[in-house]
Amino acid sequence: AQTVTQSQPEMSVQEAETVTLSCTYDTSESNYYLFWYKQPPSRQMILVIRQEAYKQQNATENRFSVNFQKAAKSFSLKISDSQLGDTAMYFCAFMKRDNAGNMLTFGGGTRLMVKP
Amino acid sequence: EAGVAQSPRYKIIEKRQSVAFWCNPISGHATLYWYQQILGQGPKLLIQFQNNGVVDDSQLPKDRFSAERLKGVDSTLKIQPAKLEDSAVYLCASSPPGGGEQFFGPGTRLTVL
């Protein structure tokens, strides 16, 4: 079974600054995906960024980038130029990769507050 | 492209009552998931369907929860009878053939009094 741990229950950052959210995971699988999802107060879970474990290059999506350390089983999210709209819960999630759909295993979440 | 639809958005019931939630996935998505998200926690899978068959229901409390996806499209999740600890957001998600990213609906917030 997989486990995902987010050690920072809450974080805050000033608008326009950079913040890094931490995530560690444990698995015996060699082929998997890792995700960061954003959940604003509206509750809609929105995909922020995805990393495939076989890819060494870290994924980036505009202001969002990850630091994927496979050997250390670490997957942190960096948000650059933070905006007020980034205020939300952020969840790290693991999915085993095969040809079928697979469940997501989520961490406990980090509440991010962006301050003006 | 329409997203994952869920209804109702909110539901308040007394304990021991019954409740049902509905989900319509994105067209063409073969896999459908129901997650339970208790306040302050990450979502936890309740059940996964592939077309109209159950792939994983190992974490579904089968004495009170049931789910179906009869025609391989929309799905209903039922709780009967509800307990106080069932208060949570129930999220539905779907993914296309081949797996990969899951797309989530807006969720149903259930309050059991």
Side-chain angles (χ1 to χ4, degrees):
Chain A
Q2 287 68 233
T3 60
V4 178
T5 302
Q6 294 178 246
S7 59
Q8 306 152 312
E10 293 187 2
M11 294 194 72
S12 63
V13 63
Q14 291 296 133
E15 194 175 8
E17 294 189 345
T18 295
V19 64
T20 299
L21 308 184
S22 301
C23 173
T24 58
Y25 61 96
D26 190 23
T27 184
S28 58
E29 301 288 339
S30 59
N31 202 4
Y32 52 88
Y33 294 104
L34 292 165
F35 302 87
W36 279 97
Y37 277 90
K38 170 185 177 181
Q39 188 178 42
S42 67
R43 303 196 304 269
Q44 185 87 41
M45 200 69 87
I46 301 164
L47 179 66
V48 174
I49 198 165
R50 177 173 82 173
Q51 176 78 42
E52 297 180 56
Y54 72 89
K55 291 185 177 179
Q56 292 187 336
Q57 186 172 6
N58 289 322
T60 62
E61 285 287 342
N62 300 313
R63 299 183 294 109
F64 299 89
S65 61
V66 298
N67 184 3
F68 174 47
Q69 302 289 327
K70 190 172 184 179
K73 295 181 180 174
S74 169
F75 183 60
S76 62
L77 174 70
K78 185 171 82 171
I79 306 174
S80 304
D81 186 26
S82 297
Q83 299 177 0
L84 297 178
D86 295 333
T87 293
M89 286 290 293
Y90 286 82
F91 291 96
C92 178
F94 172 100
M95 178 194 290
K96 185 175 68 172
R97 183 183 181 190
D98 58 30
N99 289 329
N102 279 294
M103 60 175 276
L104 286 164
T105 300
F106 286 89
T110 296
R111 183 178 303 278
L112 177 66
M113 174 74 73
V114 180
K115 299 179 178 179
Chain B
E1 179 182 87
V4 177
Q6 288 189 248
S7 66
R9 291 295 309 276
Y10 303 89
K11 190 73 177 180
I12 300 174
I13 61 172
E14 301 281 337
K15 61 183 180 184
R16 291 187 290 273
Q17 286 186 325
S18 303
V19 65
F21 312 127
W22 175 82
C23 172
N24 193 28
I26 294 172
S27 177
H29 282 197
T31 310
L32 185 147
Y33 312 80
W34 284 102
Y35 291 86
Q36 180 192 57
Q37 185 179 19
I38 293 171
L39 184 64
Q41 299 181 18
K44 181 188 76 173
L45 182 75
L46 291 174
I47 189 167
Q48 175 185 343
F49 291 95
Q50 181 79 15
N51 296 309
N52 61 350
V54 175
V55 174
D56 185 350
D57 64 355
S58 58
Q59 299 190 77
L60 187 74
K62 298 180 185 62
D63 57 333
R64 298 182 301 105
F65 286 65
S66 64
E68 60 184 12
R69 194 185 183 198
L70 292 175
K71 296 182 179 179
V73 181
D74 58 346
S75 174
T76 56
L77 175 70
K78 297 179 181 178
I79 307 175
Q80 179 179 10
K83 292 185 175 181
L84 297 176
E85 59 260 37
D86 298 332
S87 293
V89 174
Y90 291 84
L91 295 167
C92 180
S94 68
S95 62
E101 180 183 347
Q102 292 182 21
F103 297 80
F104 284 82
T108 296
R109 180 181 295 280
L110 174 67
T111 302
V112 182
L113 302 175

